[in-house]
Amino acid sequence: MLFKFAILVVKSLGRNKVRTGLTSLGVMVLVAIFSVVTNVTSVVKSKVNAQGEQTRLIVSERWTMPSRVPLRYIPEIAGQDGVADWTTMNFLMGFLDESRRRDRQAIAIATRPDNLREMHEGARGIDDDSYDAFLTRKDAALVGPGLLKTMNYQVGDSFTLLAARFPPIDIEFTIVGVLPPGEMSNGFFCRHDYYMEATDDRDAVNCILVEIEGAERAKELAAGLTLDYENRQPSLKVETESAGVARFAARSQAVLQIIDGVVAILLIDMIIILSNSISISVRERRVEMAVLKVLGFQPLHITLMIIAEAMLVGGVAGLLGTGMVCGLSQLTIHEVIPVMAWNKFLLQFPVPWSAAIWGMLIGAGVGLTGSVIPASSAKSVKVSDVFSRIA
Amino acid sequence: MIPLKYNARNLVVRWKTTLMTASGFTLVVAALVVMLAFVEGVQKVCTTSGEPENVIVLAKGNNDEVFSQIDTRLASELENSRGVGRNDAGVPLASREIFLVVHRRLEQEGVFKFLQIRGVQPIAFDVHTQIRIIDGSPLRASQSEVIIGKGVQREHQLNVGDEIEMGRKSWKVAGVFEAGGSAFESEVWADLPELSSQFRREGVYSTMVLRTEGPEAAKELMTQLESSRSISCNPKTEPEYYAKQAEQTQMITSAAWIIAWFMGIGAIFGVMNTMFAAIGQRRKDIAVLRIIGFKAHEILISFLLEAILISIIGGFLGIGFGMSVNGFSRSTAIGAAREVAFAFSVTEGSIIFAACFSLAMGVVGGLLPALSVVRIQPLEALR
């Protein structure tokens, strides 16, 4: 019974191939851009909303930005009860050539090399050889794939970061490995000891990242450290990693809200396209609905058939649209297609294959929402009315 | 030619389909207008910031005053450079400034928010002539007072007489200023020596702003400083500096266009569907039109016009909805660490762009169905 019903649905869709094709293409294109946009925002939001993982604390200067936390504070903080691991971070900003264009700008994080993979999410997937080279070579840089492609760098090349902030010292680095695609795609990691040596900035770091054993202890420690350092010069601000990210994300709230609005519009647009197409189809098939009723189909059967048609079109289009974006993302990451301005962001925000499933579900959901009104109009077709008109 | 009334009436008869197809256009155009209004708003703030007579000097290699540091020696040399204007008292019109981004804790919400503070001396008000106190009184030195820009007043909900906790002291809001809608309106201004001692910045400045006699003199001074062997710095005219800060909106503009194009393609498929359905339903009408003498290309144009009419209705409504954000104030991050208050700005250019975009969607979406009309055989269609 179910199989026959499925065949009926597929055959109904196959009857007007142009319409089914155009509707699918419309939904496909919109689901594709929807998945790209939501992928970017969800990366930001997942960082902000990492409520369950509040075991990381960011220690920075209480008042000013760029923050300067004295190095003398580190032993005191690292020695606190419950501190599992810690690292320092200095943010270097500079240009990769004398043109000093924005697309030649890079951000680097100078940090402790020995626990890089444990403390920095962006460095978790580095291969052992690259990591060993990073530990061995002082001027080593682990460079993001986006940056590598923009500058046409190779592993083993040396480059100079022309300082764009204080201290105004240009620093030379040697590329020892490539970072996995993700948040550090357009940046690189370098060693803090080398940074200190090159800039002679040996007194302070921008912030300290501390890993705490347990969320409860992290909360206690954050409050305790803030209080302990309140009257020190400089005083400190201790917050969870997600709170820190949220503070920065809040600065771009207007952009994020616009993106959320665009996402909503994309969804509504998809529903309109699908609903319009199904409505036209229902209007054209009133005789067919009447015949089905004569043959014993209940109004519920007809409703389900229309909804199933819409969900099938939406689901398949969603799967194809997101699948296309996932494929494009993977091809970009694996360098099958050259990295250019239009696809470079996929190195920073790679779309995982799991997104295809979400795409299918969203497509099917759009189909369900968009078909409610046409389906209810289809089920209320009056057999006598339809046949009297034909007669 | 087939009268346009024929198409208009057809759209009215199939009003549900027309409305749904047009609403697809409406949403795309509205989203485009809002995105462009955001970009225009931010760019407007940046282009109105700074005066062409002023040269802002940053430390060598620095492009952002948040990260720039100039020492006292360099500041003195810059102050005495040829071309720097003087006031009636003969004091060089050179403003030593500190620009800091501080974390202000909003006790009620329990969160930190960024506040941009500029430490200035009295001469700054002769250099930045756009600054005008609109409420309260001017800044008094060594009195732990600040004056706030209109944008800060709105974003942080501060008023004259309020206290702001910054560093180890409480600062009283003495006045509110406006600065011709520029980025300065998103700042708090405080007394330079007081701010320096509070945040351990004694003897260093973020920037020096030098006022010259006119835009030409400013350019000359900039060239002179750039080519100087004794002075190592990064000079820029103020408008140039703020225009550079707005560069990152280019990325948002590109993203807006990419999203709009994709949405547009979706809407094109939508209108194609509608038009193909309309043609399917009106095969007999088309046959009759051909038989009574209308040429194939006339019918093609007629159907194309129908698609364009839908796009005009949708585009018009979309522009209308998009315009509703005009003047709406928000703040956003620009440059490395700066935040500016801006108002969404729907310009004539954006409206023309959006209208053309809508029209293009209508033409592209209507063309293929309209071409299919040509293939209809009148007798076969009437059978």
Side-chain angles (χ1 to χ4, degrees), chain A residues 81-243:
Chain A
D81 189 30
V83 173
D85 208 352
W86 63 271
T87 192
T88 58
M89 290 203 275
N90 263 316
F91 300 97
L92 283 77
M93 200 183 287
F95 295 95
L96 298 163
D97 63 28
E98 280 297 347
S99 70
R100 290 182 182 261
R101 280 176 8 213
R102 198 162 275 275
D103 62 336
R104 296 286 190 265
Q105 205 169 27
I107 289 182
I109 297 178
T111 187
R112 246 178 86 179
D114 55 307
N115 59 357
L116 177 82
R117 286 199 284 201
E118 290 78 29
M119 293 302 288
H120 295 278
E121 228 170 90
R124 280 200 185 137
I126 305 168
D127 60 87
D128 291 340
D129 290 343
S130 304
Y131 189 52
D132 287 343
F134 188 68
L135 292 174
T136 327
R137 210 181 158 118
K138 229 176 185 183
D139 66 343
L142 288 165
V143 179
L147 190 67
L148 206 77
K149 292 290 158 205
T150 308
M151 298 306 294
N152 274 324
Y153 289 153
Q154 305 279 335
V155 174
D157 286 356
S158 290
F159 68 94
T160 304
L161 184 75
L162 307 170
R165 56 172 287 185
F166 188 83
I169 293 161
D170 304 338
I171 311 174
E172 197 171 319
F173 295 98
T174 302
I175 302 169
V176 295
V178 184
L179 293 167
E183 56 187 63
M184 282 297 282
S185 173
N186 295 317
F188 65 93
F189 283 108
C190 61
R191 293 173 50 151
H192 181 238
D193 49 353
Y194 178 63
Y195 165 80
M196 283 199 298
E197 201 177 289
T199 59
D200 209 25
D201 180 17
R202 295 171 190 277
D203 303 326
V205 287
N206 289 145
C207 68
I208 308 169
L209 190 62
V210 191
E211 178 75 49
I212 311 294
E213 292 162 348
E216 209 42 50
R217 179 68 191 134
K219 220 181 273 176
E220 282 169 24
L221 208 56
L225 283 172
T226 307
L227 206 65
D228 289 351
Y229 286 84
E230 199 178 3
N231 295 314
R232 301 269 294 266
Q233 185 65 287
S235 51
L236 296 182
K237 174 163 58 66
V238 185
E239 61 190 342
T240 56
E241 196 179 14
S242 58

Side-chain angles (χ1 to χ4, degrees), chain B residues 9-322:
Chain B
R9 282 184 68 92
N10 268 310
L11 291 179
V12 174
V13 168
R14 292 177 297 112
W15 67 272
K16 279 184 197 163
T17 312
T18 305
L19 198 70
M20 285 188 96
T21 315
S23 56
F25 281 77
T26 302
L27 289 174
V28 175
V29 173
L32 179 65
V33 171
V34 171
M35 289 189 283
L36 291 178
F38 168 81
V39 173
E40 289 285 348
V42 176
Q43 279 178 345
K44 208 171 179 177
V45 171
C46 293
T47 49
T48 53
S49 297
E51 295 167 63
E53 297 88 353
N54 289 353
V55 174
I56 180 167
V57 185
L58 298 105
K60 180 108 187 138
N62 281 228
N63 280 344
D64 200 309
E65 54 186 326
V66 179
F67 304 116
S68 166
Q69 284 194 17
I70 288 175
D71 59 28
T72 316
R73 188 192 56 81
L74 178 60
S76 303
E77 280 181 47
L78 289 167
E79 215 164 55
N80 295 310
S81 298
R82 188 164 35 89
V84 176
R86 285 176 187 270
N87 65 8
D88 297 340
V91 178
L93 291 170
S95 173
R96 296 176 185 213
E97 296 175 4
I98 281 185
F99 185 77
L100 294 174
V101 178
V102 305
H103 308 283
R104 177 175 176 241
R105 189 172 168 83
L106 303 175
E107 293 301 337
Q108 277 184 339
E109 294 158 43
V111 292
F112 286 99
K113 212 169 173 187
F114 293 106
L115 198 59
Q116 299 164 132
I117 307 188
R118 190 177 294 277
V120 293
Q121 294 170 314
I123 195 78
F125 295 91
D126 293 335
V127 174
H128 301 286
T129 55
Q130 289 175 309
I131 308 293
R132 237 175 291 282
I133 303 286
I134 52 167
D135 191 13
S137 55
L139 180 68
R140 289 180 304 163
S142 309
Q143 298 294 317
S144 296
E145 282 184 352
V146 293
I147 52 170
I148 58 171
K150 259 184 359 183
V152 177
Q153 183 185 33
R154 192 175 50 236
E155 281 293 312
H156 287 255
Q157 286 165 1
L158 289 167
N159 284 306
V160 174
D162 286 352
E163 300 272 335
I164 314 175
E165 296 291 330
M166 283 189 306
R168 285 164 203 288
K169 14 186 218 189
S170 199
W171 305 69
K172 191 180 164 198
V173 178
V176 180
F177 66 86
E178 63 172 15
S182 70
F184 294 124
E185 289 183 0
S186 304
E187 297 176 0
V188 172
W189 283 27
D191 178 40
L192 176 72
E194 246 186 312
L195 198 69
S196 303
S197 67
Q198 190 58 221
F199 294 107
R200 300 173 296 122
R201 297 291 197 277
E202 293 98 340
V204 286
Y205 310 101
S206 305
T207 53
M208 280 282 290
V209 183
L210 311 169
R211 189 163 182 88
T212 62
E213 277 175 5
E216 281 309 310
K219 278 184 189 149
E220 266 173 43
L221 178 60
M222 200 177 92
T223 319
Q224 175 199 321
L225 293 172
E226 273 171 343
S227 57
S228 168
R229 288 187 181 176
S230 58
I231 299 174
S232 176
C233 61
N234 181 18
K236 278 186 170 66
T237 60
E238 262 190 342
E240 221 177 63
Y241 170 76
Y242 287 101
K244 189 100 181 148
Q245 297 280 308
E247 262 184 5
Q248 83 179 51
T249 55
Q250 280 171 3
M251 200 181 75
I252 299 168
T253 314
S254 311
W257 276 110
I258 292 170
I259 293 170
W261 276 117
F262 271 88
M263 288 170 83
I265 293 169
I268 285 169
F269 287 126
V271 80
M272 273 186 182
N273 239 341
T274 306
M275 292 312 294
F276 272 125
I279 290 163
Q281 283 165 6
R282 282 146 63 191
R283 284 173 71 85
K284 284 186 179 150
D285 293 20
I286 295 162
V288 170
L289 286 169
R290 290 292 303 276
I291 286 165
I292 60 175
F294 285 107
K295 295 208 166 56
H297 76 268
E298 287 174 323
I299 302 171
L300 182 148
I301 290 169
S302 171
F303 274 86
L304 191 59
L305 281 175
E306 203 166 306
I308 291 172
L309 266 176
I310 296 175
S311 74
I312 289 172
I313 297 166
F316 184 73
L317 289 172
I319 291 169
F321 283 126

